[in-house]
Amino acid sequence: GESVGLHLPTLSVQEGDNSIINCAYSNSASDYFIWYKQESGKGPQFIIDIRSNMDKRQGQRVTVLLNKTVKHLSLQIAATQPGDSAVYFCAEPAGNNRKLIWGLGTSLAVNP
Amino acid sequence: DGGITQSPKYLFRKEGQNVTLSCEQNLNHDAMYWYRQDPGQGLRLIYYSQIVNDFQKGDIAEGYSVSREKKESFPLTVTSAQKNPTAFYLCASSFSSLYGYTFGSGTRLTVV
């Protein structure tokens, strides 16, 4: 969904554990999804993307899963490190102009 | 190296003044975007431009203005009509609707 000024949900994990960050979308025709990481005071950075013809895509320590049946997207981070502490956003291009629609974001806090 | 540059990093404005935030990219991207981010919240689209000499209002355009005279540049003016301008402003660009965005490092605007 689109950010409307609500405060971010927070996920707190222990260093070394796996993290799972979730995102729901509403448009069953959505064909492309992107995850971004935003560290404090910086602009968002691309992490990984996935197209709707895939169910899973893996990167370095990150995996994105797409469940089109329930319109759900998740980002899994393996062996979470303190440097993973950030806000994570999912986004999808939508509308005729395909500008990105942003999820609310999830704040990930990694405890040492 | 190609990238997107925002300046200044920090900006202070007196009430009633207009200020202009700079955004320059050398990625040869056609589309450029301006977002506003308030503390602990997500991204809200102010204006976007998909091609030179053309731009569209986003979700919160009131009190802001933009121009796109060159492909590389998309400056944002925060006018005195913007009643609550203190925020973190992010500029982004994209090659096409098939890909995600590249973000600048942001400008933090404070009204004093």
Side-chain angles (χ1 to χ4, degrees):
Chain A
E2 189 163 355
S3 168
V4 291
L6 301 176
H7 286 275
L8 302 173
T10 299
L11 174 66
S12 185
V13 300
Q14 289 298 122
E15 182 178 355
D17 287 352
N18 296 336
S19 302
I20 300 176
I21 300 169
N22 298 304
C23 186
Y25 63 96
S26 57
N27 183 3
S28 56
S30 295
D31 58 3
Y32 179 54
F33 303 89
I34 313 164
W35 281 99
Y36 286 87
K37 172 186 180 182
Q38 185 180 22
E39 296 177 85
S40 180
K42 298 182 179 179
Q45 289 183 298
F46 172 91
I47 303 173
I48 193 167
D49 59 1
I50 188 167
R51 300 199 182 273
S52 60
N53 60 352
M54 304 172 71
D55 296 324
K56 178 180 179 178
R57 190 165 188 215
Q58 288 185 292
Q60 188 175 11
R61 279 200 310 116
V62 295
T63 300
V64 56
L65 299 178
L66 177 60
N67 185 331
K68 294 179 284 292
T69 302
V70 296
K71 290 183 280 191
H72 183 268
L73 192 68
S74 69
L75 177 71
Q76 301 180 358
I77 304 173
T80 312
Q81 303 169 1
D84 295 325
S85 294
V87 176
Y88 290 83
F89 293 97
C90 63
E92 57 169 312
N96 292 335
N97 53 27
R98 291 185 65 82
K99 69 180 192 293
L100 284 185
I101 302 298
W102 293 83
L104 178 62
T106 297
S107 179
L108 175 65
V110 181
N111 303 314
Chain B
D1 288 338
I4 183 165
T5 302
Q6 288 186 243
S7 63
K9 189 170 179 65
Y10 299 96
L11 185 58
F12 297 88
R13 187 195 96 171
K14 293 183 179 178
E15 286 194 23
Q17 283 184 337
N18 292 356
V19 289
T20 298
L21 283 58
S22 171
C23 179
E24 303 277 333
Q25 54 98 0
N26 61 3
L27 299 165
N28 199 32
H29 285 173
D30 289 311
M32 297 186 74
Y33 310 82
W34 274 105
Y35 286 90
R36 170 182 173 138
Q37 188 174 36
D38 292 284
Q41 298 183 19
L43 302 171
R44 293 189 287 169
L45 182 64
I46 304 172
Y47 267 100
Y48 64 102
S49 168
Q50 294 183 300
I51 196 168
V52 175
N53 292 322
D54 184 52
F55 49 83
Q56 308 294 329
K57 291 182 179 180
D59 303 311
I60 55 164
E62 185 175 351
Y64 300 98
S65 66
V66 293
S67 63
R68 187 86 187 276
E69 298 176 1
K70 298 186 300 181
K71 187 175 186 179
E72 301 80 18
S73 179
F74 191 42
L76 173 74
T77 296
V78 184
T79 75
S80 56
Q82 170 49 241
K83 297 307 177 188
N84 185 23
T86 295
F88 189 48
Y89 290 86
L90 287 160
C91 180
S93 68
S94 68
F95 182 63
S96 78
S97 61
L98 298 177
Y99 299 92
Y101 298 177
T102 300
F103 280 86
S105 55
T107 292
R108 190 166 299 279
L109 173 64
T110 303
V111 173
V112 296

